[in-house]
Amino acid sequence: MGKLEGKVALVTGASRGIGREIALAYAREGADVACNYNRSPAEAEQLVAEIEALGRGAIAVPADVARLDEVERMVHATMERFGHVDVLVNNAGFATLHKIEEMPVEAWDAMIGAHLRGTFLTTRLVLPHMLERRRGWIINIASQLAYKGRENLAHYCAAKAGIIALTKVLALEVSRRGVYANCIAPGPIETGIIPRSGPPDPEAEARFADSLPIGRVGTVDEVAPTAVFLASDDATYYVGQTLGPNGGDVML
Ligand code: NAP
């Protein structure tokens, strides 16, 4: 029997990268999954086919999580298909690179919008259903950069630090009402999230990997097990915590 047998999960930003791997891991553990995407419908439909091949239910649900009307439609479509949501993973996100003094205000707003506002909006709309059933698991994807910061990523780091704080308050408000809220703050993981500023530079990449205590960048399947754990009945004493699959880049 899977660790998430019979649960229904909504994973935002599931069309690629970490979200895709979490959605697949959830399905392998027995969950049905609503797979949110924004700009990658074909990838989301491919994921749905893979989840169905595992014998689980799945739908692809479009939404820019920064937009209230689109999040409303996403949650509505998920509820219509599955009747409820047990597990919400707020994972959708992207990165752009700007020095603070050059950062367009629009770039700041877009980053805070997708990460922090998106996490709030989706939580805001799913949480009442969870509280009504006194049953739910909310897992927010932050980043180790919330702790250590990085040049050119002020908007990203600030959004991720906000997500950790939001998760703590959420946990304070809901943990006695049947809902668990926790964070995952991954270290550098091989996905397409960081835009390249020039052609591939294997030497710089090797230097970066070597700067990490573990000596390499992580993979999406080194993050998904933490998301399975936090959504499972093994994590019943985790409240407002931030777990860090990060290769030792940050040690708290
Ligand atoms: P990725 O491979 O670029 O995937 C990002 C996903 O987010 C895509 O499915 C994309 O959907 C979706 N997305 C982006 N903006 C969206 C929006 N406004 N509304 C809905 N969906 C949106 O990135 P990733 O590395 O897997 O990142 C996933 C999460 O992990 C992010 O929150 C990221 O900050 C966090 N994280 C990543 C790393 C890392 O090193 N990779 C480290 C720490 C934390 P579409 O393609 O459909 O637009």
Side-chain angles (χ1 to χ4, degrees):
M1 177 151 156
K3 286 181 184 290
L4 308 180
E5 206 67 43
K7 288 181 178 172
V8 173
L10 167 59
V11 181
T12 69
S15 50
R16 295 183 287 113
I18 292 170
R20 174 184 163 79
E21 190 59 30
I22 290 174
L24 277 171
Y26 279 9
R28 283 188 209 106
E29 292 292 344
D32 295 333
V33 191
C35 307
N36 160 251
Y37 67 94
N38 187 28
R39 296 183 179 158
S40 306
E43 287 83 347
E45 289 301 344
Q46 167 67 27
L47 174 62
V48 165
E50 286 178 44
I51 291 174
E52 286 173 347
L54 291 167
R56 305 309 320 172
I59 49 167
V61 278
D64 174 348
V65 295
R67 295 196 43 162
L68 176 59
D69 56 340
E70 296 190 18
V71 175
E72 278 171 346
R73 281 198 289 274
M74 171 179 76
V75 173
H76 182 74
T78 304
M79 297 292 290
E80 270 215 333
R81 169 66 195 270
F82 296 114
H84 62 269
V85 176
D86 299 293
V87 183
L88 167 63
V89 182
N90 285 304
N91 164 80
F94 68 96
T96 56
L97 302 175
H98 303 280
K99 291 207 178 310
I100 293 174
E101 76 271 22
E102 296 164 359
M103 187 181 299
V105 173
E106 295 76 19
W108 173 272
D109 288 345
M111 186 66 68
I112 301 296
H115 289 262
L116 189 51
R117 179 179 157 89
T119 297
F120 164 70
L121 287 181
T122 310
T123 300
R124 171 69 184 83
L125 293 180
V126 171
L127 185 59
H129 301 289
M130 290 179 166
L131 290 172
E132 198 179 304
R133 299 174 69 230
R134 296 187 71 83
R135 176 182 163 88
W137 290 261
I138 297 177
I139 297 154
N140 294 330
I141 307 299
S143 165
Q144 49 147 8
L145 296 182
Y147 302 126
K148 62 186 287 187
R150 178 165 297 159
E151 298 91 338
N152 302 316
L153 283 166
H155 50 350
Y156 181 89
C157 297
K160 292 306 197 186
I163 286 172
I164 292 174
L166 169 63
T167 308
K168 290 177 183 173
V169 177
L170 178 63
L172 287 172
E173 292 184 0
V174 301
S175 62
R176 293 186 187 207
R177 293 189 282 162
V179 178
Y180 297 92
N182 290 288
C183 259
I184 301 174
I189 304 297
E190 271 175 35
T191 68
I193 194 168
I194 299 290
R196 286 189 193 285
S197 48
D201 184 346
E203 276 180 25
E205 281 167 31
R207 271 197 309 277
F208 175 69
D210 195 47
S211 74
L212 301 168
I214 201 168
R216 63 177 177 81
V217 168
T219 58
V220 291
D221 55 7
E222 292 179 302
V223 178
T226 308
V228 169
F229 168 70
L230 286 176
S232 77
D233 294 333
D234 292 335
T236 48
Y237 211 52
Y238 283 75
V239 173
Q241 300 300 309
T242 300
L243 303 190
N246 67 21
D249 200 20
V250 169
M251 298 185 194
L252 295 175

